[in-house]
Amino acid sequence: MKKELTMKRLLNIIGLFIFLGMIIMALTNPLTIDPNLGIYQIDKAVIKGKELYNFAIFLLISSITYFLLVQLYFSSAIGRKVFFIVLSVLAIAAPMVAIYLES
């Protein structure tokens, strides 16, 4: 039996690719190919310690938020209202936090 590809399923698959891609990117970012097709690692680009912890927390929170919002959107009419409220709060709060962290 072939399962039907719904919009919810498609968004979950896209989210899976996004967050798995971010994890793979973090692991493979310090790898470089030289002109002789040799692979070597740049030690300055390796994420270690506190940066790795912060990145893992960011990925965890953002993935939970993404999948929760997808679930809310497709749950009910009240879920859609909550979805748009949360999305509006994030749209306002994200630039404010970015400006705050930049200074």
Side-chain angles (χ1 to χ4, degrees):
M1 280 184 6
K2 189 175 182 180
K3 291 187 178 181
E4 185 178 329
L5 184 64
T6 61
M7 185 59 73
K8 180 180 176 181
R9 187 177 194 88
L10 178 65
L11 288 173
N12 283 329
I13 291 170
I14 290 171
L16 191 66
F17 276 112
I18 289 170
F19 293 110
L20 285 177
M22 289 176 77
I23 291 170
I24 292 170
M25 180 196 66
L27 298 175
T28 60
N29 190 31
L31 299 177
T32 304
I33 299 176
D34 64 5
N36 298 326
L37 299 179
I39 297 176
Y40 65 95
Q41 185 174 14
I42 301 173
D43 291 330
K44 291 181 182 179
V46 176
I47 301 175
K48 297 178 186 172
K50 184 76 172 168
E51 288 179 345
L52 182 61
Y53 176 76
N54 289 340
F55 185 68
I57 294 296
F58 164 75
L59 275 180
L60 181 67
I61 292 172
S62 59
S63 63
I64 288 171
T65 304
Y66 177 83
F67 290 112
L68 180 69
L69 286 174
V70 169
Q71 191 67 26
L72 272 174
Y73 185 79
F74 291 102
S75 64
S76 65
I78 295 172
R80 280 193 184 172
K81 290 178 184 177
V82 173
F83 167 83
F84 285 114
I85 291 169
V86 171
L87 209 59
S88 300
V89 169
L90 286 174
I92 294 168
M96 292 172 59
V97 170
I99 291 169
Y100 174 75
L101 290 176
E102 193 63 33
S103 56

